[in-house]
């Protein structure tokens, strides 16, 4: 019977244990993530000037490698300086938590994956405020990875082996792989011997790198980020498959966000690449610039979701 492990905490302990055993492993400095509940005060509570006391921004722990979070913090600090608005970063482990916060007006803005955006768009009127462009494209791919010493050559070879997803709503971290399995005539439970949810793309990368899990589906942007900033993290990996291109993870807001606030933040994001400080932060995140987003760019993800539901 297939075993599904859902505790990311257990995975982190396993990884720490493995790292302590092997002298040549890369030491990963932990970053403190605030997973505490948000306060019940409304994000629309205003001060005398009509500006929210705190503009709350949700960043899922899945969206970036742990060391990349500091660059998102730099981005938020940059927006504070440009808009004069006080931002507060809220971090959550899952996309569902972030989506719920958007739906309940507990946050003003969120950095989410494409699959999470498409899922939430079906049930609430969130909208794209901007999307990152990287290497000249506002699109990205899923990578299927295995250990470089593995005999696995193609996705089909993973039958009967262990596999890591990142999040139930993730496009590159689950949806693409599940759709591929459907094309083979399998469900993930039938195909794999064991499934885990890592709650972070870089955790999935470590699990495969250390041969704890046989394969994983990850965000290609995360892989390329590590390839540039920390190549030792991916040196024991091999990419056996890349997906087609999908609409890139967007920056989204609730539809009832104040129009003036929305305009200020959108303008700051879209013009960020035009000054030296903004450009430096974008370079660290491997982003060329932020551009206008199109909902239609996510139709291929909707088609995959609809196919799996049928």
């Amino acid at each position: 019977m297939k075993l599904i492990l859902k505790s990311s905490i257990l995975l982190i302990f396993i990884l720490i244990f493995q790292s302590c055993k092997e002298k040549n492993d890369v030491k990963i400095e932990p970053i403190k993530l605030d997973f505490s509940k948000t306060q019940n005060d409304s994000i629309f509570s205003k001060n005398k000037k009509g500006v929210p006391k705190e503009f709350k921004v949700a960043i899922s722990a899945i969206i970036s490698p742990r060391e990349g979070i500091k660059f998102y913090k730099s981005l938020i600090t940059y927006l504070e300086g440009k808009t004069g608005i006080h931002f507060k970063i809220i971090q959550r482990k899952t996309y569902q938590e972030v989506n719920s916060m958007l739906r309940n007006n507990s946050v003003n803005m969120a950095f989410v994956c494409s699959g999470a955006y498409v899922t939430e768009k079906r049930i609430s009127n969130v909208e794209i405020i901007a999307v990152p462009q990287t290497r000249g494209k506002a699109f990205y791919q899923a990578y299927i990875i295995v250990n470089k010493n593995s005999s696995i050559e193609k996705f089909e070879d993973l039958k009967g082996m262990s596999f890591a997803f990142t999040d139930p709503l993730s496009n590159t971290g689950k949806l693409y792989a599940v759709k591929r399995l459907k094309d083979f005539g399998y469900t993930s439970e039938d195909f794999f011997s064991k499934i885990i949810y890592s709650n972070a793309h870089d955790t999935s990368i470590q699990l495969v790198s250390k041969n704890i899990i046989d394969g994983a589906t990850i965000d290609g942007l995360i892989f390329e980020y590590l390839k540039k900033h920390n190549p030792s993290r991916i040196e024991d990996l091999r990419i056996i498959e890349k997906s087609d291109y999908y609409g890139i993870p967007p920056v989204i807001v609730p539809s009832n966000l104040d129009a003036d606030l929305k305009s200020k933040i959108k303008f700051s994001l879209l013009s960020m690449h035009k000054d030296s400080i903004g450009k430096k932060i974008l370079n660290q995140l491997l982003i060329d610039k932020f551009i206008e987003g199109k909902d239609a760019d996510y139709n291929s993800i909707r088609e995959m979701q609809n196919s799996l539901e049928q």
Side-chain angles (χ1 to χ4, degrees), residues 60 62-63 93 95 112-116 140-145 155 163-181 188 192 195-205 207-208 213 215-223 241 243-244 246-247 249 301 304-305 308:
S60 171
I62 306 170
I63 201 71
K93 289 186 290 186
Y95 289 129
V112 297
C113 87
S114 304
Y140 77 136
Q141 294 171 286
Y143 290 2
I144 306 296
I145 58 169
F155 195 13
F163 198 77
F165 295 128
T166 56
D167 183 275
L169 298 185
S170 177
N171 175 45
T172 54
K174 182 177 181 181
L175 182 62
Y176 169 74
V178 173
K179 176 59 171 63
R180 288 284 284 121
L181 292 176
S188 55
F192 299 117
I195 299 168
I196 62 98
Y197 284 90
S198 68
N199 287 337
H201 292 284
D202 58 335
T203 301
S204 291
I205 285 170
L207 290 168
V208 177
I213 293 292
T217 178
I218 62 165
D219 183 339
L221 297 174
I222 305 295
F223 187 95
E241 182 171 309
S243 71
D244 293 333
Y246 300 106
I301 298 174
M304 282 199 297
Q305 286 186 344
L308 292 172

Side-chain angles (χ1 to χ4, degrees), residues 103-133:
R103 198 179 318 134
N104 298 329
N105 283 331
S106 297
V107 292
N108 301 80
M109 184 171 79
F111 292 82
V112 297
C113 87
S114 304
Y117 163 69
V118 170
T119 298
E120 188 59 26
K121 184 69 173 175
R122 297 170 69 176
I123 55 180
S124 70
N125 199 22
V126 293
E127 59 184 91
I128 299 172
I129 194 171
V131 299
Q133 176 182 291

Side-chain angles (χ1 to χ4, degrees), residues 12-277:
I12 293 171
F13 280 130
I14 291 172
L15 290 170
I16 292 172
F17 179 72
Q18 286 292 117
S19 296
C20 292
K21 288 173 61 180
E22 300 175 24
K23 292 182 179 179
N24 295 326
D25 283 348
V26 177
K27 182 179 179 182
I28 300 171
E29 296 296 333
I31 184 164
K32 294 181 180 179
L33 300 181
D34 178 14
F35 295 130
S36 61
K37 297 296 181 183
T38 56
Q39 298 177 356
N40 292 324
D41 56 311
S42 170
I43 58 171
F44 298 106
S45 58
K46 304 281 184 89
N47 61 19
K48 292 181 180 180
K49 295 181 180 180
V51 177
K53 294 176 182 177
E54 288 182 327
F55 191 92
K56 297 181 181 178
V57 181
I59 303 176
S60 171
I62 306 170
I63 201 71
S64 173
R66 277 165 284 179
E67 65 268 32
I69 294 293
K70 65 183 178 183
F71 298 138
Y72 275 94
K73 290 180 178 178
S74 297
L75 188 155
I76 297 304
T77 301
Y78 173 88
L79 291 178
E80 281 189 330
K82 289 294 183 180
T83 62
I85 300 169
H86 174 58
F87 286 77
K88 180 179 180 180
I89 296 176
I90 308 295
Q91 292 178 298
R92 290 293 182 266
K93 289 186 290 186
T94 69
Y95 289 129
Q96 184 59 59
E97 290 175 281
V98 174
N99 279 3
S100 295
M101 294 176 76
L102 282 164
R103 198 179 318 134
N104 298 329
N105 283 331
S106 297
V107 292
N108 301 80
M109 184 171 79
F111 292 82
V112 297
C113 87
S114 304
Y117 163 69
V118 170
T119 298
E120 188 59 26
K121 184 69 173 175
R122 297 170 69 176
I123 55 180
S124 70
N125 199 22
V126 293
E127 59 184 91
I128 299 172
I129 194 171
V131 299
Q133 176 182 291
T134 177
R135 292 192 285 184
K137 296 185 180 71
F139 298 90
Y140 77 136
Q141 294 171 286
Y143 290 2
I144 306 296
I145 58 169
V146 298
N147 191 281
K148 71 176 184 181
N149 296 318
S150 167
S151 61
I152 300 166
E153 297 294 336
K154 56 186 183 298
F155 195 13
E156 295 92 320
D157 295 339
L158 282 162
K159 190 175 189 313
M161 298 188 179
S162 57
F163 198 77
F165 295 128
T166 56
D167 183 275
L169 298 185
S170 177
N171 175 45
T172 54
K174 182 177 181 181
L175 182 62
Y176 169 74
V178 173
K179 176 59 171 63
R180 288 284 284 121
L181 292 176
K182 184 183 179 183
D183 295 340
F184 301 157
Y186 290 95
T187 65
S188 55
E189 289 77 12
D190 293 333
F191 190 81
F192 299 117
S193 63
K194 180 171 68 175
I195 299 168
I196 62 98
Y197 284 90
S198 68
N199 287 337
H201 292 284
D202 58 335
T203 301
S204 291
I205 285 170
Q206 283 197 73
L207 290 168
V208 177
S209 180
K210 295 177 181 298
N211 274 320
I212 298 171
I213 293 292
D214 295 311
T217 178
I218 62 165
D219 183 339
L221 297 174
I222 305 295
F223 187 95
E224 297 302 329
Y225 174 94
L226 292 174
K227 185 176 180 179
K228 178 176 176 63
H229 290 292
N230 202 342
S232 62
R233 295 270 299 278
I234 54 118
E235 65 183 5
D236 291 326
L237 300 176
R238 200 158 30 87
I239 301 167
I240 59 170
E241 182 171 309
K242 292 183 180 182
S243 71
D244 293 333
Y245 283 96
Y246 300 106
I248 203 164
V251 186
I252 62 176
V253 298
S255 61
N256 59 352
L257 180 65
D258 179 83
D260 289 338
L261 289 174
K262 189 189 307 181
S263 178
K264 274 186 179 182
I265 294 166
K266 184 173 184 176
F267 176 80
S268 298
L269 284 170
L270 297 184
S271 59
M272 194 171 173
H273 63 288
K274 295 179 181 179
D275 71 66
S276 58
I277 297 175

